[in-house]
Amino acid sequence: MADTFKDVRIPASLYARIEKRLPNTDFKTVADYISYLVRKILDTIEEDENKGKKDFTPDEEREIEDRLRNLGYID
Amino acid sequence: MVDPHGGRLVERVCGERTRRVITEQAREFPCLPIDADLVKDVKNICFGVFSPLEGFQCQDDFDGVVGHCRLANDVPWSIPVVLDAGEGFARSVKPKDEILLVTAGKDPVVVAKLAVEDVYQYDKTEYVRNVFKTDDPKHPGVKASLEKEPWLLGGKLDLIAEVKTAFARYNLKPRETRYLFKKRGWKTVAAFQTRNPPHLGHEYVQKSALTVCDGLLINPVIGRKQPGDFTDEVILASYEALIDNYYVKDTCALTTFETEMHYAGPREAVHHAIARKNLGCSHFIVGRDHAGVGSYYGPFDAQEIFKQFPDLGITPINFRAFYKCKKCGSVVSDKICPHGPEFQVDFKGRVVRQMLAEGKIPCDEMRPEVAEAIMRYKDLFVL
């Protein structure tokens, strides 16, 4: 059940820059640190992509509002 | 508002016509009886509490979750959500079959249809060591896992019938909580998970979170409990009393999270946070030994684990310790109170329980209205 990995090439200078920061983090390897950073950045990008999407159609809004009112959650 | 986990709120509920046809033709499908805990999992999947899951996990997701807390598509997920089956049943079905999940016992109800995608076995010892960090059969989560059947069925679900509990009126679905938050203008919402009636310390934590968030969702876990736990009725009534008497109107909502407790400590804290993210919460309160049991986990392991997930999409609010300080004259946390242990008075759950059972109001620990609401019940505890 171990994770599987793929190789990615990055500039040596970038590798060195990340490696230099490693002692200031909780990460043991450059690969772990890069995985963390990339996941963080991807999450922000994906969140931005979803912005502006409509959550509910007018029919859904009516249906949910009726139920919440019946249950006493809204006046 | 915060996005659902994995980017999309799952809803897999059959329309009326499909439901009628499947129910009429139920005898033609293989039927697998499932217990009350699995019925709750089915509901949580089909109404999106467990988004992005669309069904019980197949082996690639299961391996990722058990091995490194991620689904096969890299989305964080910490507790396997699986359907177990005995060898005889598992060997009788294959991928692309459709089976019906029915309630166990007399007069079975057809709960859901499962489109089988995967039938697989798993190593229970590796499973419990990874998920629970122990294989001690005295751990209740380990015990329950070891008692599961040896085969797992994975595949997408479609809900046929919603089996309602006694507290259905509190069990809002993610689209309903999300609408409620939007209606109240809450952009940030802190979720508070509980298994107990509130004492003054809980109120302090909740109100601290409310100072940085627009709203508070109090979200007790309703389901199978250990003997000696407060009953679900008592927990809900006690919170109603607290909210009615001590919270500003429309800053707080009380809904339930119907699920089985695994007592998996840190991993379960992440699981609980994901479910609350799907309800629309931006923050999740994590206290000492969240979802722990005995001394299997360090007191702050459940707070530390969140550092592994920069892409979780819900922010933990960590509380290390809260107590009454005789010098401050109020409930405080270790972060804001400079006074030494000689001034600290811890909340004594055991004393509170004893006093309530004897019909006495524990004034130093609990609001009188809350205690009175609890004492209206004859049976306070699960037998």
Side-chain angles (χ1 to χ4, degrees), chain B residues 147-300:
Chain B
E147 286 168 359
K148 278 190 185 291
E149 298 285 0
W151 289 76
L152 301 175
L153 308 183
K156 291 189 178 71
L157 285 165
D158 288 297
L159 190 77
I160 311 272
E162 183 184 352
V163 179
K164 297 197 172 174
T165 66
F167 313 102
R169 85 167 206 82
Y170 292 99
N171 189 226
L172 297 195
K173 299 164 182 80
R175 61 198 220 116
E176 292 167 341
T177 50
R178 285 173 169 269
Y179 184 82
L180 178 65
F181 299 166
K182 187 181 157 196
K183 184 87 181 168
R184 287 186 177 176
W186 297 354
K187 288 198 167 59
T188 53
V189 185
F192 183 81
Q193 139 123 8
T194 184
R195 287 182 279 157
N196 283 301
H199 58 50
L200 296 174
H202 297 129
E203 185 182 334
Y204 164 79
V205 168
Q206 292 160 9
K207 287 186 171 171
S208 298
L210 253 182
T211 61
V212 293
C213 289
D214 300 326
L216 173 73
L217 178 70
I218 296 171
N219 200 218
V221 168
I222 297 294
R224 187 157 50 90
K225 290 197 159 63
Q226 309 263 43
D229 286 350
F230 280 99
T231 65
D232 294 333
E233 294 91 330
V234 166
I235 295 168
L236 289 166
S238 65
Y239 266 105
E240 289 281 14
L242 182 71
I243 293 166
D244 285 350
N245 289 284
Y246 293 95
Y247 279 83
V248 175
K249 186 173 158 48
D250 289 347
T251 58
C252 181
L254 173 65
T255 73
T256 55
F257 177 27
E258 294 185 1
T259 194
E260 174 191 8
M261 279 297 298
H262 304 276
Y263 304 97
R267 274 193 181 232
E268 194 152 19
V270 172
H271 183 66
H272 287 161
I274 291 169
R276 276 44 180 255
K277 178 186 171 188
N278 283 326
L279 293 175
C281 299
S282 56
H283 293 71
F284 182 62
I285 297 169
V286 188
R288 192 186 163 90
D289 198 22
H290 184 104
V293 63
S295 54
Y296 293 98
Y297 312 105
F300 305 111

Side-chain angles (χ1 to χ4, degrees), chain B residues 343-364:
Chain B
F343 295 105
Q344 295 173 8
V345 183
D346 290 328
F347 290 96
K348 298 179 194 74
R350 208 169 290 168
V351 174
V352 171
R353 295 162 64 88
Q354 182 67 34
M355 288 182 74
L356 289 169
E358 290 169 2
K360 295 174 191 160
I361 294 177
C363 304
D364 293 343

